[in-house]
Amino acid sequence: MSRALLTIALTALVVLAGCSAIDGGDAGTPTPTVTAPTDATDTTHAPGDTTAETTERTTPSGTATAGTARPTDGGSGPDDRIGRENGYAYDDPIAVTPDDGFNDSEFEALKARTMARVEKIRGREFESAVSVRFITRETLLDEGLFTFEMDPARNQLWEAAFVVGENRTSAAALNDLYSVVVDGYASRNGVTLVQPNPEQPRIDPAILAHELAHVLGGPRLQFDDYDGSVDRKLVLRSISEGNANFVESQYSERCGGEWSCVERPPNASDVADFESVNEGLFLWFAAPYTVGPEFVGHRYEAGGIESVNEVYSNPPASMEGVIHPEAYPDETPTAVDVEDRSTDEWNRQRATRRSVTNTLGEAVLYAMFKSNDVIGGPEPEVNKAQRTGLNYSHPASAGWDGDAFAAYSNGSAGAYVLKTAWDTDRDARAFHETYLELLESKGAIEVDEGVYRIPDGPYADAFRVVRDGDRVIVVNAPTVAVLDEVHQVEG
């Protein structure tokens, strides 16, 4: 097996080329950098800001402008070292008054020292200057970087997860989600952040450390035959957000002791409106912010920063390894495939850039059950912290060992096949029973052995659900009569 090396800095990946591939978030949509507060306070902004101004601040290569100035290293050269950036060492004092928002000189001092502190925590050096751009939410939405377009295959996937029904497109639901949760994004050399007043930004310094950690990243991230599936992308994002949240938490801990820190400005942000957010999509989106930091923290406790770095050369094989860090790196999923048994009337749709099948993974199956209230446990905390308060583990999904999803179309209607593998027969039975409870909650009627029909509503369709030992397969079609035309189940 060839080992594909992906040069993926731990930033939000800004990919501007359009693509209709179903990958859980459009391949043409940048992965957002979303602020994660250091406490329970909401620290981001609601949509609807009216000023479309943009302010860009780039660390100058000249002398420092506030606080205790030292010879500037400009991000490179013999004086540059870990824990020192743009004339500031990580333990230098700075003179700022953030109550009325940071002016240019104050923010440059804060940014330089924070970069030095991120280096100190992470044991890595920024290789170039970092720009920070402040924009209003209106500008963010106008730029259209987080806009999803119609994709029938993606519609089928989120319908299969009982997250977005046929009464709505997945693009519309994702656009609503991203318009609320995204507060900025990071690229290799810069950060864009949403602020009500870009001229006088009020930003939590710990959050600035989080965003700068995205730019600094870690060692080169390596995936074996990266397939762009929903599950694999969640793994990538979990490492990224786990790393950034690790830096943020370390920053906050040291501010309580060895470091003198700037306090979070008052009224750092407005409260966002989450009423329009699709809970199932939010649980998918928030998984990396919730379980990613736990995974990275587990690695740090096991062997320090070197143990964290090792994740980059040997990332978890699936979200199973992130949700259950004690299983990493030994647990690897079983390869599952959906053999195409459709008739000529039904055509398989391309699921990702590289494959006609996709992998939902344990996190999405958990979100499917949780968002539809068929499993217990605490309620998700839908808020700007992006951390749901859930561990994404439940007996109905925790025995996951692999899956494959395939979408079909006959030109006027859609269908799909979801084939899952489980660690044991008992795990398969738990999933099977819970899945039938999910169908029942949608009004499904059993019309034949293993065949169900939801008569009305956004998920009105026919389903064949078959468990065979440690495998469970779901076949979906518009009517019972055409189930076998989409996929005939053996036995």
Side-chain angles (χ1 to χ4, degrees), residues 44 47 52 76 105 109 168 172 237 254 268 301 326 350 444:
T44 49
S76 62
S105 62
R168 198 149 196 251
R237 289 179 53 218
R254 298 182 193 195
E301 291 177 3
E326 69 282 355
R350 179 160 292 279

Side-chain angles (χ1 to χ4, degrees), residues 148-161:
F148 292 77
E149 297 181 354
M150 174 65 177
D151 185 337
R154 186 182 59 227
N155 290 344
Q156 291 301 115
L157 185 146
W158 289 118
E159 182 183 340

Side-chain angles (χ1 to χ4, degrees), residues 109 118 124 141 187 215 254 303 344 350 364 372-373 375 387 397 399 401 408 444 479 486 490:
V118 170
R124 294 174 59 81
L141 298 177
S187 62
V215 179
R254 298 182 193 195
D344 292 341
R350 179 160 292 279
V364 171
N372 285 285
D373 298 322
I375 58 176
R387 299 169 185 149
S397 55
D401 191 38
Y408 291 84
T479 65
V486 174
E490 291 181 339

Side-chain angles (χ1 to χ4, degrees), residues 459-482:
Y459 299 99
D461 269 331
F463 301 79
R464 175 173 280 115
V465 187
V466 177
R467 183 178 73 85
D468 182 10
D470 61 0
R471 303 294 172 105
V472 179
I473 186 169
V474 177
V475 181
N476 165 278
T479 65
V480 172
V482 300

Side-chain angles (χ1 to χ4, degrees), residues 335-349:
V336 180
D337 190 29
V338 175
E339 183 181 346
D340 189 4
R341 299 175 186 163
S342 63
T343 62
D344 292 341
E345 288 77 17
W346 291 91
N347 297 311
R348 187 156 13 184
Q349 307 299 295

Side-chain angles (χ1 to χ4, degrees), residues 11-12 17 50 72 78 106 126-127 193 198 200 240 260 271 283 292 305-306 316 340 383 393 483:
T11 67
T50 56
T72 297
E106 289 176 331
F126 282 97
E127 297 179 355
L193 294 174
Q200 292 181 298
S240 173
S260 172
V271 177
L283 290 179
I305 199 66
E306 289 305 316
D340 189 4
N383 56 45
S393 179
L483 281 169

Side-chain angles (χ1 to χ4, degrees), residues 157-158 160-163 230-231 234 280 283-284 319 323 359-372 374-375 392-394 396-405 418-422 431 434-435 438 472 474:
L157 185 146
W158 289 118
F162 285 85
V163 168
V230 171
D231 185 70
L234 282 179
L283 290 179
W284 153 75
M319 281 299 290
I323 297 170
T359 301
L360 275 64
E362 183 177 346
V364 171
L365 295 182
Y366 173 89
M368 174 177 73
F369 291 142
K370 188 63 181 176
S371 63
N372 285 285
V374 292
I375 58 176
Y392 285 75
S393 179
H394 188 276
S397 55
W400 180 91
D401 191 38
D403 74 64
F405 168 85
L418 174 62
K419 189 174 183 179
T420 61
W422 300 88
F431 172 79
T434 309
Y435 188 85
L438 173 58
V472 179
V474 177

